[in-house]
Amino acid sequence: MVGLRQLFLEENERINKKILSNGDVYVGDFKGELPHGKGKYLWSDGTVYDGEWEGGKMTGKGHISWAAGTKYEGEFSGSYLHGFGTFTRPDGSEYRGSWRMNIQHGLGTKQYSNFDVYEGCWKEGVHEGNGRYSWSNGNVYVGNWKGGIMNGRGIMKWISGDIFDGSWSNGLRHGSGVYRFADGGFYFGTWTKGLKDGKGTYYPAGTRHPSLKRWCRSLGYDGIPSSFQSHDASTLNSVEVEAQRTSIRPSVSELSSSGSLRGSGRITQRTSSMDRNSSRGHSARELIPNNDLSSALSHVSGDVHSVVLDSDRIAYEREYMQGVLIKERIITAERSRKTKHKNKFHVKEGKSNSWMNIFQSRQSYYLMLNLQLGIRYTVGKITPVPMREVRPSDFGERARIRMYFPKKGSQLTPPHYSIDFYWKDYCPMVFRNLREMFKLDAAEYMMSICGDDGLTELASPGKSGSLFYLSHDDRFVIKTLNKAELKSLLRMLPKYYCHVGKHENTLITKFFGVHRIKLRGGRKVRFVVMGNMFCTELRIHRRYDLKGSSHGRYTDKDKIKEGTTLKDLDLDYEFHMDKLLKESLFKQLHLDSKFLESQNIIDYSLLLGLHFRAPEQLKAVLEPPGAATNHDSFSSDDVGVSSQGELLIPPTGLILVTHEPSSVNTAPGPHIRGSTLRAFSVGEREVDLLLPGTARLRVQLGVNMPAQASHKLLQDEGDPTEVELFEVYDVVLYMGVIDILQEYNARKRAENAYKSFKFDPVTISVVEPKLYAQRFINFLQKVFPEPP
């Protein structure tokens, strides 16, 4: 009897219509006083929801339509659009895919009101991860996205048939890539902010070129990204569409409206801004300088899978500077074969790398994982410790943290996919204080080195045979040390700590941690974490390792590639700087050299990086008369237009302006710390470097330092009265003192050098630390001479 009565009461509640005090109406199932089950809710403004409820909240499947005409049909949770559903707006745009808390999140497809279509991954309402964007004009991009912008590896095809496959950053081509013309020509090279920058090779149509698959593997790509294969097997094929030779239009910004059930029972209209998904990729005519495009269109399509050049064809090795062609030479098939044979000979004669013999392939991967696990553990353990001044006991080999990391995990360590190893962290409190001194956030440090993106293994640029790893954001370099180098660092660490604390503008390498991994069998691998001196938003076009010596300090021309670190005799520039900037530079170089001299250290060098600004006279020559320039290197504020409509190019590529902290990033990076420099040319005030149309950069010692590089042109021997000719370039300099961990006994080194005939009698004397420092400074003073 009680059961029948209960059923009767529930049925009576179900058929009731409830009118709220604010005018809203609900018809449907109830549980107590709350909507529960299926029901329909009508708001006073005309918004209607029809679907499932749970405890007074929209939960389950349902359909909601707003008075403005916006509709959503799909899954709800807690009165949020949550799960899978379709969202339609009155302007015709439609999103069908996953949602999380009223925001597009996960896999989904969106058709915009202008008929652009994006299908792929979303994160917090913007494109993030792998995806495919099709513009209504026929252009298509397939690749990685970040924050709603093309970022990472991707393929763009224009309706003209031109294709770019390579790296993207902030919506622009940035890094290595290959550009294929519709007629079959190819350009393999590098880009910076959408412009060709650095060395590359152009293969006209009909010329055989390197295998695309092999080229992708050389960059760390395994052909077609696996994520594309799993997500849409036809994605890359669908990129083969027709499109017009125009720049790509950005899609319309989106505002997604949704609702949530308030305490009053009303769904309020909420808008969340969708990032403007602008494809900043240029058309073929913008991508390729006119001489490239004309030469490409004058040939016919040819074989695309061969590895060598046809004997009756030629290719062009080119070098660009912010989109301007500055050098070109012809490569023939005969030259290519000779070079290949010569390189093969050198590889055969070369000695094997000791570290690489130990840690090849999988072993190196395990080493990287061990390093990340250890650093994550150490930094996590030492960071919560209250800050205090370092003590003598904090230095030396006995000041350490030791831990065992079994593969299965322990009470203190997590399980992992690497091999069992022992971890040792040297002088943790000292390096913790150094990181604080360098204003390096512990969380950012761990995310940079220990994040999911992992580390990149680099080829050793020197003779030490050390392994080098680079963090995914290029901020940190990790280098293996031998036992002698470790002891040298630990011995000098107290003085180093005092020196960098006293001189905030020091150019000496920044150290952030020293660690040791002991593997199965007792093998020990030692590491040091340093700041990457060339972590900058500008492209480094030339790198030099300068010791002030002439013995063997040159690079074989056949071995010079993009990114090769050159030596003293390869440097054929003189640099002229602002008076105060140069004084600050040499004052600090003297201080740093004195410190290294006091530690009995020699064989250090100045690592110098050059970013060239494209010579303005070359821009004027290469631009066709009356052509409108769309290069990203100039903005409307920097490039004026005369009354006749002619383009006015700024007279210089570098401008020093008074420092404005609000206009530049004043946070120190992993390789810099210290004050903003003053310049004589602006009244001895702190300065920023303005690169027209590109950036405003803070000038610090060794970072963003402007200069003019003079290069003497070779002339035929003839008239002695002929005036010497020079090329002058605007450059931005980056520099720091490196290789400071090589400690030597001066007398023993001199004896060994003499016996092995490595040094002539004049050079032997400079193995003394004081003489080495003197030669080092004297050489740099010739590189940075006084103005005439």
Side-chain angles (χ1 to χ4, degrees), residues 193 537-538 613 632-635 638 653-655 657 663-664 688-698 704:
K193 295 186 177 180
E537 59 188 282
L538 301 181
R613 300 304 291 175
D632 293 319
S633 55
F634 297 105
S635 67
D638 303 304
L654 303 175
I655 303 172
V657 294
S663 300
V664 294
D688 296 332
L689 175 62
L690 184 65
L691 284 70
T694 302
R696 183 185 179 118
L697 306 171
R698 182 186 181 200
N704 303 326

Side-chain angles (χ1 to χ4, degrees), residues 394-463:
D394 293 323
F395 295 93
E397 289 191 57
R398 293 185 177 274
R400 59 185 184 263
I401 294 177
R402 301 181 66 181
M403 182 55 60
Y404 176 56
F405 285 81
K407 185 175 181 179
K408 295 182 179 180
S410 66
Q411 291 182 345
L412 299 176
T413 62
H416 55 85
Y417 294 101
S418 184
I419 55 179
D420 299 350
F421 68 98
Y422 290 89
W423 172 262
K424 182 184 287 188
D425 182 70
Y426 292 96
C427 308
M429 184 56 72
V430 175
F431 285 106
R432 179 259 176 84
N433 281 16
L434 281 173
R435 292 192 292 269
E436 292 280 348
M437 193 184 297
F438 297 143
K439 296 181 174 59
L440 184 61
D441 182 73
E444 290 183 5
Y445 181 66
M446 281 197 292
M447 286 300 297
S448 180
I449 297 176
C450 310
D452 295 335
D453 293 321
L455 303 172
T456 302
E457 185 178 335
L458 304 177
S460 172
K463 299 179 181 178

Side-chain angles (χ1 to χ4, degrees), residues 722-787:
E722 197 173 79
V723 178
E724 289 187 332
L725 298 178
F726 291 86
E727 281 182 342
V728 180
Y729 300 91
D730 289 318
V731 294
V732 184
L733 305 180
Y734 297 85
M735 62 189 76
V737 179
I738 62 169
D739 289 341
I740 69 170
L741 301 182
Q742 302 183 42
E743 179 186 3
Y744 298 96
N745 180 293
R747 181 177 300 176
K748 184 175 181 180
R749 171 164 177 152
E751 292 173 355
N752 292 340
Y754 183 77
K755 290 176 183 177
S756 61
F757 300 101
K758 289 184 179 179
F759 297 96
D760 55 37
V762 176
T763 316
I764 290 176
S765 63
V766 301
V767 297
E768 292 289 344
K770 184 175 182 179
L771 295 176
Y772 187 93
Q774 181 180 337
R775 184 185 71 175
F776 180 68
I777 296 295
N778 290 343
F779 172 76
L780 294 179
Q781 285 175 336
K782 293 179 181 178
V783 175
F784 296 88
E786 294 292 338

